[in-house]
Amino acid sequence: MKLLYDLLPVILFFLAYKFYGALPPEWILAVGAWLPVALEPGNPSHAIYLATAVAMAVMAVQLSLGLAIKRRLETMPLLTAAVILVLGGATLWLHDPVFILWKPTLVNWLFALVFLAPPLLGRRSLVETLMGHALNVPKAIWRRVNLAWVVFFIVSGLANLFVAYTFSEAVWVDFKLFGMLGMTLVFVIGQAVYLGLHHSEDDPHTTKGDPS
């Protein structure tokens, strides 16, 4: 359920883009009245602007709900929201989709920095911080998995740019939802298998068997 909630801006972005031509013209004109770009019903090049506005609105609502319910904002959603609001705003204001095309790349690279920073500062890895209470694996394994996440985020960012600048905008929209989701699921499954192979029922405070 949380995965669906986190993916909601991406899903609605996808739907708004794909069904732009089927939406009632009055709906499009009504939304366009609130945007710095005048949306034209039936103009397929404007689908990206409506999709961007929808994603920004959903993200803003999610941030507001998170702040109202939890009384705080988590780092990852906050970073994602900041990027989409800034780049989405630039796309709408300057009438240039290139900014929103870069959004997945910048988000992934920011996540890579978030995962990379703690080990560089001498702290335990973010993966261990998030999952150490549930799994007992050697420190070296946590470091490897954390580094794997860093590499995954960097590669995901590069893959987004490759698709965005090699294929059509419509193909990029498909990749943004299905391609990146598929990459993430495959990686998470691989990580789970790897951690499972090294999980031990021993006292988590012992270091016996910690590989170098």
Side-chain angles (χ1 to χ4, degrees):
M1 199 62 189
K2 186 179 185 305
L3 177 61
L4 180 60
Y5 180 81
D6 292 340
L7 284 175
L8 193 58
V10 180
I11 294 173
L12 293 182
F13 178 97
F14 175 85
L15 293 176
Y17 183 90
K18 292 297 182 179
F19 291 100
Y20 181 81
L23 293 174
E26 56 270 21
W27 290 13
I28 295 176
L29 293 174
V31 173
W34 293 89
L35 301 179
V37 54
L39 298 179
E40 298 177 6
N43 185 344
S45 67
H46 284 198
I48 192 72
Y49 301 126
L50 177 65
T52 298
V54 168
M56 291 173 63
V58 174
M59 184 62 73
V61 170
Q62 287 182 324
L63 275 183
S64 301
L65 288 176
L67 187 59
I69 295 173
K70 298 181 178 179
R71 303 296 180 183
R72 63 184 178 85
L73 294 175
E74 297 178 357
T75 302
M76 297 298 195
L78 186 58
L79 284 176
T80 302
V83 173
I84 192 173
L85 292 176
V86 170
L87 295 185
T91 285
L92 296 177
W93 190 261
L94 300 175
H95 305 177
D96 191 344
V98 70
F99 297 101
I100 202 64
L101 293 178
W102 270 81
K103 177 261 178 183
T105 293
L106 292 187
V107 168
N108 276 286
W109 288 354
L110 280 174
F111 285 178
L113 288 176
V114 169
F115 275 73
L116 184 62
L120 292 180
L121 296 175
R123 301 177 182 177
R124 68 175 184 170
S125 67
L126 183 57
V127 172
E128 183 180 0
T129 300
L130 296 173
M131 303 177 62
H133 66 283
L135 292 171
N136 174 31
V137 301
K139 289 283 187 181
I141 301 302
W142 286 125
R143 290 193 294 268
R144 291 172 192 170
V145 172
N146 194 81
L147 181 59
W149 273 106
V150 173
V151 173
F152 171 76
F153 286 130
I154 293 174
V155 171
S156 294
L158 291 173
N160 175 70
L161 293 181
F162 174 77
V163 174
Y165 285 98
T166 304
F167 300 96
S168 68
E169 183 181 274
V171 170
W172 173 79
V173 171
D174 292 337
F175 173 78
K176 186 173 183 290
L177 176 58
F178 301 110
M180 302 200 80
L181 177 59
M183 290 171 58
T184 303
L185 290 177
V186 169
F187 180 79
V188 169
I189 292 172
Q191 173 197 254
V193 171
Y194 182 72
L195 287 173
L197 292 174
H198 292 87
H199 173 64
S200 171
E201 297 297 338
D202 295 336
D203 185 345
H205 296 291
T206 63
T207 58
K208 181 180 179 181
D210 189 353
S212 58

